[in-house]
Amino acid sequence: MRATMLALVMASMFPFGCDRTPKEDPADAQAKLQSDLKAAAAFTRNNKPKDAEKLYADILAKQPDEPQALAGLARLRLSADKVDEALSMIDKSIAGAGEDAAVHSLRGEILAKKGDHAEAAAAFGKAFTLAPEKSRVRPALRCAAQARQEVRRRREGSCARWPNSTRWRSSSTPSWATSCGHRTASTTPSRRT
């Protein structure tokens, strides 16, 4: 009876003592955050946007200003053609991350898709100045230069595959050859004689 009485007194004095949750170690929380970010990026690469979006949303529920999660979610919004949402998220990410070349490069992609080419060029330029060796600006610039050269070649009447070509083609000429400025003739063979 004494033990029961003592138990009742103790229970009434400390009613919430057993409901305490242990505090999470900051190092463990950071490790889990990095693991979740890597998993969400992997879902994005593997074309599983719903899984990636769920993980990013979970991360942002715990840490609303996490720059990498905002940037990842902005990339998903961009691929879903939600350009305005993507732009607001990437701007929040830049406010938190600051000097990250990949984030500025993503902002350039978003602005280019939106049609704001002057600001897109500025964002790509910022990405290039932050990390010229890691920037995706070089391939984009190379691609743009190749496109300009191809347009110039088409205007001049030559083809990228045969820059100095004046060969006549038969009616079985592939469509890419005729669209590049090659002349066609149905009576002339496709080889030079």
Side-chain angles (χ1 to χ4, degrees), residues 157-181:
S158 64
C159 176
R161 294 186 189 265
W162 299 294
N164 298 321
S165 175
T166 57
R167 296 194 305 186
W168 291 83
R169 294 263 175 203
S170 69
S171 61
S172 63
T173 303
S175 62
W176 61 264
T178 57
S179 68
C180 291

Side-chain angles (χ1 to χ4, degrees), residues 122-141:
F124 282 128
K126 177 74 173 179
F128 186 74
T129 57
L130 290 173
E133 70 282 352
K134 292 184 179 180
S135 181
R136 294 187 312 200
V137 174
R138 285 186 184 197
L141 292 175

Side-chain angles (χ1 to χ4, degrees), residues 97-162:
E99 305 297 314
D100 187 2
V103 175
H104 284 280
S105 181
L106 179 58
R107 186 172 192 273
E109 289 177 37
I110 293 168
L111 289 167
K113 192 164 189 175
K114 188 176 180 182
D116 193 354
H117 300 291
E119 282 193 49
F124 282 128
K126 177 74 173 179
F128 186 74
T129 57
L130 290 173
E133 70 282 352
K134 292 184 179 180
S135 181
R136 294 187 312 200
V137 174
R138 285 186 184 197
L141 292 175
R142 183 173 44 245
C143 182
Q146 288 172 349
R148 281 193 305 269
Q149 287 175 351
E150 183 64 28
V151 168
R152 193 175 304 122
R153 283 188 191 121
R154 286 183 185 188
R155 284 184 189 152
E156 294 170 359
S158 64
C159 176
R161 294 186 189 265
W162 299 294

Side-chain angles (χ1 to χ4, degrees), residues 60-130:
L60 291 172
K62 295 175 188 172
Q63 296 181 5
D65 295 329
E66 172 55 43
Q68 290 178 341
L70 285 167
L73 203 51
R75 181 166 297 285
L76 290 174
R77 294 290 189 261
L78 176 63
S79 65
D81 290 331
K82 297 178 181 177
V83 180
D84 292 328
E85 288 180 36
L87 186 59
S88 69
M89 287 181 186
I90 204 67
D91 287 339
K92 287 179 189 175
S93 178
I94 288 174
E99 305 297 314
D100 187 2
V103 175
H104 284 280
S105 181
L106 179 58
R107 186 172 192 273
E109 289 177 37
I110 293 168
L111 289 167
K113 192 164 189 175
K114 188 176 180 182
D116 193 354
H117 300 291
E119 282 193 49
F124 282 128
K126 177 74 173 179
F128 186 74
T129 57
L130 290 173

